[in-house]
Amino acid sequence: MAITIDRIADEMFEMVKEAQEVGKKLKPMDLQKTIKNKYDDVDKPMTKKAIKQLVDSGRLVYSYFGGTFLELPHREGAAND
Amino acid sequence: MAETKPRITDIGPPDYRQFLPPVIEKNYGQWKYHEILEPGVMVHVAERGDKVYTVRVASPRLLSLDTIRFYADVADRYCGGHLRFTSRHNVEFMTTDADNVPEIRKEVEERGHLVGGIGNSITSMVHTQGWVHCHSAATDASGIVKAVMDDLAEHFTAMDLPAKCRIALACCLNMCGAVHCSDIAILGIHRKPPRIEHDKLDKICEIPLVSSSCPTAAIRPTTVNGTKSVDVIEEDCMFCANCFTVCPALPIADAEADGVSIWVGGKVSNARTQPRFSKLAIPYITNNPPRWPEVTSAVKNIVDVWRQDARKFERIGDWIERIGWPRFFKKTGIEFGKEHIDDYTHAGLSFQRTAQITHVDWD
Amino acid sequence: MPKEYKTPQLDELEKGPWPSFVKEIKLAAKNNEMANDVLGQLEQSYDERLGHWKHGGIVGVMGYGGGVIGRYSDLPDKYPAVSHFHTLRVNHPSGWFYTSDALRKVCDIWEKHGSGLTNMHGSTGDIVLLGTRTEKLEPVFQELAEAGFDLGGSGSDVRTPSCCVGKARCEWACYDTMKACYDITMRYQDELHRPAFPYKWKFKFAGCPNDCVASIARADCSLIGTWRDDLRIDQDEVAAYADGGLDIFNDVVLQCPAKCMRYDAEKKTLEVDNESCRRCMHCINVMPKALRPGTDTGAVFLLGSKAPILEGALLSSVMVPFVNLDDEEEFEDFCDLVDEMIDVWCEEGKARERVGEFIQRVGMGNFLEAIGLEPMPEMVAYPRDNPYIFYEMEEEEELEEA
Ligand code: HEM
Ligand code: HEM
Ligand code: SF4
Ligand code: SF4
Ligand code: SF4
Ligand code: SF4
């Protein structure tokens, strides 16, 4: 059975979560490449859809530190209340 | 989160076609020629004879809503409710009625906005955010621009120069204003490596990312008093502030060390000579707010020497190419030092690799 | 009642003939606390010669990775109204044309939710709305959307494309820059709002080699108008310029970089060797009534310029010497080629590597091979002058076998 967008999204979410636990940030490209290498039947548009789903639902957010990353929502170091 | 309305996304910018003045819609792609009627005013004539008069007006770029509404009112009064901005932050009022031109001029001048910037003049400076908004600024942007243009305003409102002269400012090496191809570029520079806030760094930054952000590989992971942090090899730092963009625990701004550098001779137009980069004229001038007198006089000096010495059509870079860099330094009285000699990658290409020399009497 | 700050330093910048940004901030500060605290903090920056902002990396509107720049004051106790001061980039209409009503709508939204300070425009081209709080971002975004505006790019994405006034009001436009810019912006909405590139990618469209939007220096992807056929000459107008006192020999003929013009002073006629003409625009700039670009027009497609960060500044260089962007099919082909370039760069590029730097690292020859573009002499100023050619023998042998 072909892999679903939901499943790609879940896997991506886990990757970001695990990375964040050890203090690492992942770029959208890192996620796309890993998933594409893992599954033969996944193409770039599918990985883009999965990311769109993740950020539209608020499970992940984009961040910018000299380049764009995907992260779990959190309060950042520079923020003022 | 209960959403009442679906969110609107990805609609893109408004379609420009709804904003075009009727005379422009009608003659789109059908313009025949234009003439500059007086400084800041030009007329475009269409194949079928229609005319549109354009009045170009300086703005400070940083605008209050009052001033934008003022522009909108002027557009309503004289331009059928249409207006446009230029790539260098000027405002353009377009009207089909020549009688409106002096009226527009009067209104904007009463508000303190000059008319000009067309033809062989100095138009508004492309510039960046500076202390008004950016975290990595080595100098302010709006303040220097204001002071420099106050000094050069006479060349905005007249067309008395050998060619166009484009001046731009960026308040750090990131160059949001992409100033590196300007006749005169003012560039904010840091001169001290970042200070490392060891206590905060590991909490708010990702250390591998910080090390990899440095173009000269000057940043190494380390441990200080048991906490993970980084080390900066100071001799290797070129003060680019990349690390600070990536990591707020590496502040680089320093009141005593920061300042601006001045670059000359770049251009982007292909007219006559090819596009080229600006080259270093003055490596460092300390920040001296509110009016940066050393910067304004240095810029004015370059403009004045060029203006008097250049031949017709010679942009600053063309002029320097003809007279040679030694005479540029001689005539402007700018000191030449080791900072002027490139030592980055491919530096050798900028050395004088010929015996063709213009001899200058340095005594 | 907002605090009243003494601003002796900034007051100095209200003097002089050039329009004053300090006056603008003060106008806004009259009824906006954020603008008022900007004034206070900026005066302190002038005193100390130091900025007081922190970079906020994680603020934005839901679903978008671009369009918002996060900012916090590092003196939030002293200037509480700017403790958040996030900026929105709003995608401007092609050519920066507006109606007064459209501008007023943007003003009303910003009056309600922001500092009342703007840049018209940022150096990339967007309307820049300077300074609001995190919780205001979504309402501003949605109210702008209802007014027909969307956010522009920021981060590792397609940045807001921009263009010169082109055919709307310039007789030299060799293709419809405003349409090309709009069409590209609409086509790349996803790439503009959801960053997925190694770094930023900019498009700029200039209608002729005068390049009024500085595309050759400021865009990864520079489209600069040109023409393939002959310069159009109106000899009567040439004579009229001569009669009007223009020194055609010195000011036009001698200044031609290709040395391809000849002027007959007696007949007052001008002749151009069109095969040698480099389409530089000089003669046309000087005699706009007599000379015009030809009618077989299009654009040169150049790639790769960037500001110095990280590996030094680059100017864009020629990829395709001529493409007629007004032709729908050629426009599609152009977009396909761009997609191909972006794919290769996304696949192989390192983080924070602009496409120009990427090409320098992998070599132009390899890049061309990867995107399927034939090498052409138009791409170089001169051929290689060093002998270090990498031959890939194995591949060649494989090819021969196959
Ligand atoms: C004399 C005939 C020319 C005309 C009618 C003309 C037309 C224009 C127009 C309409 C703009 C506004 C562009 C926009 O915002 O979309 C502009 C700006 C500009 N042009 Fe030209 N152009 C001319 C010659 C040149 C030449 C010869 C150069 C370079 C050598 C040049 C370089 C620029 C630059 C850098 C700008 C930005 C200036 C500003 O907005 O104040 N132009 N020009
Ligand atoms: C995080 C702090 C930064 C702020 C607040 C900032 C702000 C801005 C703004 C407001 C603009 C104009 C945007 C527009 O017109 O849409 C801009 C453009 C630009 N920024 Fe930044 N910027 C930042 C960081 C950077 C960095 C890190 C780089 C490069 C490494 C950079 C390079 C540029 C360039 C090249 C442009 C546009 C130049 C052009 O199109 O001609 N900026 N920036
Ligand atoms: S040039 Fe540097 S300091 Fe200035 S606005 Fe851009 S990133 Fe900030
Ligand atoms: S300022 Fe630039 S060169 Fe210096 S340590 Fe930071 S990233 Fe490296
Ligand atoms: S780039 Fe050329 S076509 Fe575009 S406005 Fe400038 S002169 Fe006109
Ligand atoms: S466009 Fe330039 S190269 Fe061509 S004839 Fe005119 S001046 Fe010469």
Side-chain angles (χ1 to χ4, degrees), chain C residues 164-167 169-175 177 205-213 281 285:
Chain C
C164 77
V165 71
K167 293 200 174 212
R169 203 204 50 207
C170 185
E171 65 273 26
W172 297 331
C174 294
Y175 68 98
T177 53
F205 300 87
C208 83
N210 281 330
D211 196 357
C212 293
V213 282
M281 292 299 290
N285 289 340

Side-chain angles (χ1 to χ4, degrees), chain B residues 7-8 10 28 31 34 64 67 69 76 87 92 131 133 140 146 150 176 242 272 291 312, chain C residues 12 15 18 24 46 64 71 87 100 104 123 138 168-169 171 176 193-194 212 251 255 310 352:
Chain B
R7 289 172 84 237
I8 310 170
D10 299 277
Y28 200 89
W31 297 101
H34 73 278
S64 65
T67 300
R69 288 179 176 131
D76 280 346
S87 53
E92 290 185 340
W131 294 333
H133 191 252
D140 189 35
K146 163 76 174 134
D150 275 341
C176 292
N242 265 339
R272 248 172 50 103
R291 295 202 69 100
K312 209 167 161 183
Chain C
E12 286 300 311
K15 302 170 186 166
W18 193 253
E24 296 295 321
Y46 269 64
Y64 278 19
R71 271 298 165 279
T87 283
S100 48
R104 286 198 190 95
S123 47
E138 181 67 21
R169 203 204 50 207
E171 65 273 26
D176 193 343
H193 293 136
R194 292 172 197 84
C212 293
D251 288 358
Q255 305 294 332
L310 302 169
R352 286 173 69 81

Side-chain angles (χ1 to χ4, degrees), chain B residues 93-312:
Chain B
F93 294 102
M94 295 153 290
T95 173
T96 48
D97 184 353
D99 293 342
N100 281 336
V101 170
E103 300 294 323
I104 296 170
R105 176 188 283 278
K106 192 165 143 250
E107 288 219 21
V108 297
E109 283 178 352
E110 266 169 21
R111 184 140 180 137
H113 291 209
L114 306 172
V115 171
I118 298 181
N120 292 339
S121 62
I122 296 181
T123 188
S124 304
M125 286 170 67
V126 165
H127 62 280
T128 48
Q129 301 295 350
W131 294 333
V132 172
H133 191 252
C134 193
H135 69 297
S136 62
T139 187
D140 189 35
S142 316
I144 301 189
V145 168
K146 163 76 174 134
V148 167
M149 287 311 291
D150 275 341
D151 259 22
L152 298 175
E154 58 183 303
H155 301 301
F156 180 84
T157 53
M159 300 184 291
D160 55 350
L161 300 172
K164 290 176 193 295
C165 177
R166 305 287 184 215
I167 310 181
L169 177 145
C171 34
C172 86
L173 290 182
N174 284 321
M175 287 202 198
C176 292
V179 303
H180 55 290
C181 292
S182 307
D183 294 276
I184 301 177
I186 303 170
L187 177 63
I189 48 168
H190 300 290
R191 298 190 306 156
K192 275 196 183 165
R195 295 183 302 283
I196 309 162
E197 298 175 346
H198 292 296
D199 47 331
K200 286 205 270 188
L201 197 136
D202 188 40
K203 282 185 220 119
I204 54 178
C205 312
E206 186 198 327
I207 288 172
L209 183 73
V210 177
S211 340
S212 67
S213 74
C214 179
T216 63
I219 303 181
R220 302 278 160 80
T222 183
T223 306
V224 178
N225 302 332
T227 34
K228 279 188 258 171
S229 187
V230 297
D231 221 5
V232 174
I233 306 165
E234 303 212 343
E235 308 83 75
D236 289 349
C237 178
M238 63 185 219
F239 323 115
C240 71
N242 265 339
C243 52
F244 179 58
T245 306
V246 173
C247 173
L250 291 166
I252 190 169
D254 183 295
E256 298 311 319
D258 293 349
V260 306
S261 52
I262 296 185
W263 306 69
V264 297
K267 73 192 278 263
V268 294
S269 163
N270 289 274
R272 248 172 50 103
T273 52
Q274 298 180 353
R276 57 174 162 246
F277 295 126
S278 315
K279 315 288 193 297
L280 183 64
I282 303 176
Y284 177 73
I285 300 175
T286 194
N287 277 325
N288 190 1
R291 295 202 69 100
W292 282 266
E294 299 81 3
V295 176
T296 55
S297 63
V299 171
K300 192 156 171 38
N301 174 44
I302 294 168
V303 170
D304 284 342
V305 175
W306 163 67
R307 186 160 68 88
Q308 284 153 24
D309 202 57
R311 295 183 186 157
K312 209 167 161 183

